[in-house]
Amino acid sequence: MDKTRVYLPAEQPLRRLLDPSHPLCREDVLWALGFIKKKVADRAPEWSGLDRPQLLAHFTCFADMALLLLHRRSPSGHDTACFRRMLSELAPRD
């Protein structure tokens, strides 16, 4: 990753969430779910090339994280890894 690159304001929280040393909190997950929702609604090119199994896997991960928030539970390591993988597909390529 290029340390000199200036990231857009919407990219900064995404970059922080992708950092495995950053623990996900409720506000992070809420922000990310909203970000994903907007990207999907805008037909983001980052996801347009995904095949059906990948889209279903992303939907499952998205739904799992939303349910965790509804039940006020913290994500496990597996949930966090899945969520970060999904978010990484939205990250701009350096």
Side-chain angles (χ1 to χ4, degrees):
M1 181 166 65
D2 182 3
K3 301 277 185 195
T4 61
R5 181 172 182 236
V6 176
Y7 294 103
L8 299 173
E11 295 175 11
Q12 291 171 347
L14 182 59
R15 290 288 175 182
R16 186 181 71 243
L17 292 173
L18 292 174
D19 180 357
S21 67
H22 175 77
L24 293 182
C25 66
R26 180 179 175 81
E27 290 75 26
D28 290 336
V29 174
L30 284 171
W31 179 90
L33 291 175
F35 181 74
I36 292 166
K37 180 181 158 195
K38 181 172 177 7
K39 284 289 198 173
V40 171
D42 292 346
R43 300 183 190 276
E46 300 90 340
W47 285 21
S48 63
L50 298 178
D51 60 19
R52 188 178 190 129
Q54 287 174 305
L55 286 173
L56 289 173
H58 287 337
F59 174 76
T60 300
C61 182
F62 182 92
D64 286 345
M65 292 303 279
L67 286 171
L68 284 172
L69 289 179
L70 282 174
H71 297 292
R72 299 199 181 275
R73 292 193 320 248
S74 297
S76 68
H78 171 73
D79 297 322
T80 300
C82 172
F83 201 58
R84 284 191 166 123
R85 269 193 311 276
M86 180 176 54
L87 289 172
S88 71
E89 293 195 15
L90 290 175
R93 304 292 180 232
D94 292 330

